[in-house]
Amino acid sequence: MQLSERISRISVSTIATVLQKAEKLKVRDTKLADLGAGEPDFPTPDHIKKAAIKAIEEDFTKYTATGGIRELRQALVEKHAKDYGSNYTVEECLVTVGGKQAVFEAMSAALNEGDEVILPTPHWVTFLEIIKYAGGTPVLLETSESENFAVHAKAIEKLINPKTKLVIVNSPHNPTGAVVPPAEMEKILALAIRHNLLLISDECYCYFLYDGRKPFSLGSSKEREHLLIVDSFSKTYAMTGWRVGFALGPRRLLANMLKLQSHSTSNPNSIAQKAALAAVEGPQTHVDMMRAEYRHRRDRVMEGLQSMPGIRCVPPHGAFYAYPNVSHYFKKDGLGDASALAERLLNEAHVAVVPGTAFGTREHIRISYATSLEHINEGLRRMAAFFTKICLNYVRAEHSSSTLHGLQTKNLGSGEPLSHIPGGGGN
Ligand SMILES: Cc1ncc(COP(=O)(O)O)c(C=O)c1O
């Protein structure tokens, strides 16, 4: 049987593929330093879990309104108003099965075959695949590492033509951790209004900002007719498995997204919605705790990367990812690109990272610091040993004994000799 042309346009998430390979190693009882998953290692806070248990006990286990229970939508718009000064109404809020469903529905509702979508690159892998699936033509806007992956309204404007329908901005950013300044976001929205486009602002990491940056939502803008905010409970409340997200946007767009929802998932899980309600209405201390912990881990990751010769990394100011450039090592060991390097890091050093090729760049790897400091420290230690091994092999090949000596004295991890590193970058 022939499957559809539409489904053949897309592939399984590269991130999922990497995570599956990592999972296989775990099954083989290999001690893996897992810096791959973009998933908080924190448990879902207790008061949220208790609300779900209560929902089950009270038999809140039936279909709900397609777009989510009214109390939750009300609580979401109220919290958004409190945090950002916005004035969305309940009718401008749709609860979805994770932020992913909101992105999927929005693109399906907005795009015609051949419509162009401007997507800054690097980009979260799912954006590209959904654009293709929905029939759109991705127009990649390459951002520059030397400019800290900044997204400029002016650069977006240069790509706009009569076929352009949609622009996607994601700040704080997966995978770079870059943050678009509020003033630039406003300029991008002004562009969308001027050119009659839809702007999707993916704000799934909006509470994880560091270095004095304050949470910001473009939803605080007065003119929102061309704006769809996508947000999620997954990261903010460590609720990845519960599958709750939401969208704030123009009623007509939401009504059409709702049509699709009514014929696909019906409604977000009833129990998870009650848990989400407790998350929004309850204390936000857990979010503050996670933010403080991520900042601490971010600093550790940056410190570790800075101690590895040849690695450059733009400082991430938000989300929980670092996106170092590892191209220094490509020529040294016949490594073609970040995919080959990530594969070897996994197989030889037992460190899981996601190659930049998943996000549209060949020279980077994504390190997630949504994992324990133990994993981070071990991962950095093994990476340092792995890179040292590559250098040693290279120097050996070049017959340069003096450089070899210099490198041997530079153990880049915790200071332990290479041979003592468990799981072993040296293997
Ligand atoms: C940028 C971005 N948007 C949206 C999502 C979707 O998250 P979920 O579907 O779990 O809400 C993710 C998840 O990794 C993400 O990184």
Side-chain angles (χ1 to χ4, degrees), residues 18 54 59 61 65 72 104 125 201 219-220 253 257 268 336 379 400 419-420:
V18 171
K54 187 161 174 273
D59 289 326
T61 54
L72 177 55
F104 182 82
V125 56
S201 177
S220 57
L253 175 62
M257 291 165 63
S400 167
S419 56
H420 288 178

Side-chain angles (χ1 to χ4, degrees), residues 15 38 97-101 103 124 127 170 172-174 202-205 230-235 239-240 243-245 321 366:
I15 303 179
V97 180
K100 248 181 204 174
Q101 191 184 27
V103 175
W124 178 46
F127 291 136
N170 166 219
H173 190 250
N174 176 8
D202 182 325
E203 304 183 354
C204 287
Y205 298 91
V230 171
D231 204 333
S232 170
F233 286 77
S234 290
K235 322 287 170 166
M239 289 176 69
T240 44
R243 309 309 301 131
V244 195
Y321 308 107
R366 188 191 77 176

Side-chain angles (χ1 to χ4, degrees), residues 143-212:
T143 61
S144 148
E145 186 179 342
S146 60
E147 282 190 280
N148 297 342
F149 300 110
V151 176
H152 296 294
K154 276 196 180 132
I156 292 178
E157 188 157 29
K158 282 192 189 141
L159 297 177
I160 295 177
N161 68 64
K163 284 189 171 169
T164 312
K165 186 69 158 292
L166 216 151
V167 178
I168 301 177
V169 182
N170 166 219
S171 175
H173 190 250
N174 176 8
T176 64
V179 175
V180 183
E184 201 62 35
M185 288 290 267
E186 295 283 1
K187 284 187 196 164
I188 299 170
L189 179 58
L191 267 186
I193 295 168
R194 198 156 38 187
H195 294 274
N196 195 22
L197 312 174
L198 173 66
L199 172 63
I200 295 185
S201 177
D202 182 325
E203 304 183 354
C204 287
Y205 298 91
C206 59
Y207 290 102
F208 299 128
L209 278 165
Y210 318 114
D211 312 312

Side-chain angles (χ1 to χ4, degrees), residues 386-398:
F386 174 79
F387 288 132
T388 303
K389 185 184 79 172
I390 285 184
C391 285
L392 286 171
N393 290 345
Y394 178 69
V395 171
R396 267 192 205 111
E398 297 278 306

Side-chain angles (χ1 to χ4, degrees), residues 34-101:
D34 193 352
L35 310 180
E39 166 158 59
D41 60 319
F42 300 104
T44 302
D46 273 347
H47 67 283
I48 301 177
K49 291 192 280 200
K50 282 189 182 133
I53 293 166
K54 187 161 174 273
I56 296 174
E57 283 170 354
E58 289 176 357
D59 289 326
F60 194 73
T61 54
K62 310 281 171 167
Y63 290 130
T64 71
T66 305
I69 51 174
R70 195 172 176 88
E71 306 157 82
L72 177 55
R73 289 155 66 218
Q74 182 73 44
L76 280 167
V77 296
E78 278 172 14
K79 179 149 193 311
H80 204 269
K82 183 164 153 261
D83 290 355
Y84 305 114
S86 63
N87 58 354
Y88 283 101
T89 61
V90 180
E91 288 69 31
E92 294 170 303
C93 175
L94 175 72
V95 182
T96 53
V97 180
K100 248 181 204 174
Q101 191 184 27

